[in-house]
Amino acid sequence: MTADFTGWHVLAEFGGVDTALCDDLERLESALRESLIAAGVTICDVVHKKFDPQGVTVLALLSESHASIHTYPESGDIFVDVFTCGSIGAGATKAVELLRDKLSPKDVRMQVIQRGHGSQKINEPVGNGLTRIWDLHEVIVDTNTPFQHMVIARTDQGISLFSDDDRQSTEFSQLTYHEAMMVPAFVAAEKLDKVLIIGSGEGVASQMSVAAGATHVDHVDIDQLEVELCAEHLPYGYTSDELVLAVKHEGPIKVHYADGWDFLANAAEAGTRYDVIVIDLPDERVEEAQHNRLYEAEFLARCRELLAPGGVLSAQAGCATMWRNETLKRSWERFHDQFGTVVLYTSDEHEWSFLFGLNEKIDDPIAGMTDRLATLPYRPETVDARALVRGAIEPHALRV
């Protein structure tokens, strides 16, 4: 396969076609020939078959690949398949559209598939019956770690990270995401010295914590291979050299390749306390999933017990959009069961919502957060005082 190889494969179903036309070999072959020629493709040969008692197949061999139609006169249906590659690739779509005009179907269903280099895609589920399709222009990493299927690829959003088909971060939006998760925690905490981050394999959250004034950051991630590949290939977060130092615990960031559940148990036994704890893992699933336990009440309670006085727990809490807000509702209820004060932040430029829990009861946490924002050593680019106020307003679904 050459570097510039690409092609368009069009699959179409024509319904409600005149029954007599569906069984007329000459008219069908003529319609296919004329459509292909008008679309600019080159016909090398055409073969056909008339079936008994009815039905027709016409197959055209093209310089660019092939085209075919197969008919069902008894129901007035025609299946169309056209694949063209090279510089005339998009001619497949034009040929099918021209054929449609000639056969006058009442119903048309058409699917266009780009094939070849530059055609790889990730279908990301975003809700019941909804899928977001990512075009991957260059796949940099495609591997199964011991815990997930991991892809790093160049997209129109820059170099992007995917885990089990879910987008984790992109070069274009990662700063907005990480600031939404971290900045409200920084300004809600009474002090910012010790930070625990569970997940967030890119390393941005750890680096942001140090920039905000933390002197000790424990970064816990169970997937060593993912963290190493992120450092090697992502243009944000750790570099490979920085990761080596963090793994050696040389500097404020200390990377631990461990299960978050076990790390919390060991920290509790040692009496360790944190000013900020961050849970940044693959999305909680509506259905059963192994990692869901790290979003549930028992895990939140373990995190809560490790908070220093005035400490804050930050967690990704799902999405506020009505077609995928089930996990946000779950998180909202859990946090209110666990914490004296709960603050929501939904970025006005990103789809995710985050929850921040404090053990202490605070009547107006947002006022103190906006005041502290002005003195924060880290200067956020995507969060200001007005964003904090707006982002803390709960969606209607959480208030009813």
Side-chain angles (χ1 to χ4, degrees):
M1 193 182 292
T2 60
D4 60 352
F5 172 82
T6 189
W8 282 258
H9 200 160
V10 181
L11 305 174
E13 299 173 24
F14 295 167
V17 181
D18 179 74
T19 300
L21 175 57
C22 287
D23 206 36
D24 190 326
L25 174 59
E26 291 185 1
R27 288 178 63 192
L28 291 168
E29 181 174 332
S30 176
L32 181 60
R33 284 180 179 272
E34 291 171 4
S35 299
L36 292 169
I37 292 170
V41 300
T42 304
I43 300 173
C44 299
D45 198 6
V46 177
V47 296
H48 56 252
K49 172 70 176 179
K50 179 75 167 64
F51 294 94
D52 185 20
Q54 59 188 355
V56 171
T57 291
V58 181
L59 173 64
L61 174 65
L62 311 176
S63 293
E64 296 81 11
S65 192
H66 71 269
S68 69
I69 57 176
H70 187 76
T71 73
Y72 294 85
E74 64 273 23
S75 61
D77 292 315
I78 298 179
F79 288 171
V80 180
D81 177 349
V82 182
F83 176 42
T84 57
C85 58
S87 61
I88 198 63
T93 302
K94 184 176 181 181
V96 173
E97 291 171 346
L98 292 168
L99 185 62
R100 175 200 60 201
D101 295 342
K102 291 182 179 296
L103 301 183
S104 301
K106 294 180 180 177
D107 304 304
V108 177
R109 288 191 294 175
M110 189 166 73
Q111 180 181 12
V112 181
I113 303 169
Q114 189 176 357
R115 300 174 63 183
H117 284 200
S119 67
Q120 293 170 287
K121 300 178 186 297
I122 283 183
N123 295 297
E124 180 187 12
V126 296
N128 291 332
L130 297 175
T131 302
R132 177 162 45 206
I133 300 176
W134 291 82
D135 295 324
L136 309 184
H137 304 313
E138 177 191 355
V139 175
I140 300 169
V141 172
D142 185 345
T143 189
N144 288 300
T145 77
F147 303 97
Q148 60 192 308
H149 176 220
M150 176 186 178
V151 173
I152 297 176
R154 296 184 190 277
T155 73
D156 284 336
Q157 305 300 308
I159 297 178
S160 306
L161 170 66
F162 301 88
S163 172
D164 293 331
D165 291 336
D166 281 328
R167 177 274 323 268
Q168 299 302 307
S169 60
T170 73
E171 190 174 356
F172 177 73
S173 65
Q174 66 82 18
L175 184 64
T176 302
Y177 173 88
H178 286 106
E179 288 192 342
M181 178 174 66
M182 302 302 297
V183 172
F186 294 157
V187 295
E190 186 175 301
K191 61 186 180 69
L192 186 60
D193 184 22
K194 295 191 69 172
V195 175
L196 170 61
I197 296 170
I198 302 171
S200 201
E202 306 97 325
V204 176
S206 300
Q207 295 172 326
M208 201 174 281
S209 298
V210 173
T215 62
H216 180 112
V217 178
D218 284 320
H219 179 192
V220 180
D221 199 301
I222 197 172
D223 198 338
Q224 178 176 347
L225 180 56
E226 185 210 24
V227 176
E228 291 173 344
L229 289 172
C230 286
E232 182 178 355
H233 297 288
L234 294 181
Y236 47 92
Y238 301 135
T239 66
S240 294
D241 290 342
E242 289 169 342
L243 179 59
V244 168
L245 294 177
V247 170
K248 292 180 178 179
H249 298 184
E250 296 180 3
I253 299 173
K254 307 176 193 311
V255 168
H256 310 263
Y257 295 125
D259 180 87
W261 195 279
D262 295 337
F263 189 91
L264 289 181
N266 293 332
E269 185 176 345
T272 307
R273 295 293 181 267
Y274 294 96
D275 302 305
V276 171
I277 299 177
V278 178
I279 303 173
D280 182 27
L281 300 165
D283 312 338
E284 180 183 3
R285 300 291 189 180
V286 173
E287 69 278 7
E288 291 295 322
Q290 192 274 340
H291 69 268
N292 277 5
R293 68 190 182 113
L294 302 183
Y295 285 95
E296 293 169 354
E298 184 178 356
F299 193 74
L300 294 183
R302 290 192 174 202
C303 291
R304 184 195 67 215
E305 292 167 1
L306 293 183
L307 289 176
V312 179
L313 174 65
S314 166
Q316 179 180 302
C319 184
T321 56
M322 59 189 295
W323 54 84
R324 62 177 307 184
N325 62 8
E326 183 61 34
T327 57
L328 176 57
K329 292 178 180 179
R330 289 182 189 175
S331 294
W332 181 256
E333 293 174 359
R334 293 177 194 141
F335 264 67
H336 278 84
D337 288 341
Q338 296 285 337
F339 294 98
T341 299
V342 178
V343 177
L344 171 76
Y345 185 73
T346 299
S347 171
D348 51 7
E349 296 179 309
H350 209 285
E351 64 198 282
W352 293 114
S353 296
F354 301 88
L355 289 174
F356 305 88
L358 297 89
N359 288 323
E360 297 78 10
K361 176 66 176 175
I362 302 173
D363 291 333
D364 185 8
I366 298 300
M369 291 168 66
T370 55
D371 288 344
R372 283 193 287 272
L373 186 64
T375 63
L376 188 68
Y378 175 82
R379 306 309 300 164
E381 297 180 27
T382 68
V383 178
D384 59 15
R386 292 182 67 185
L388 283 176
V389 173
R390 188 215 61 82
I393 299 172
E394 306 94 336
H396 182 263
L398 298 181
R399 301 197 300 271
V400 296

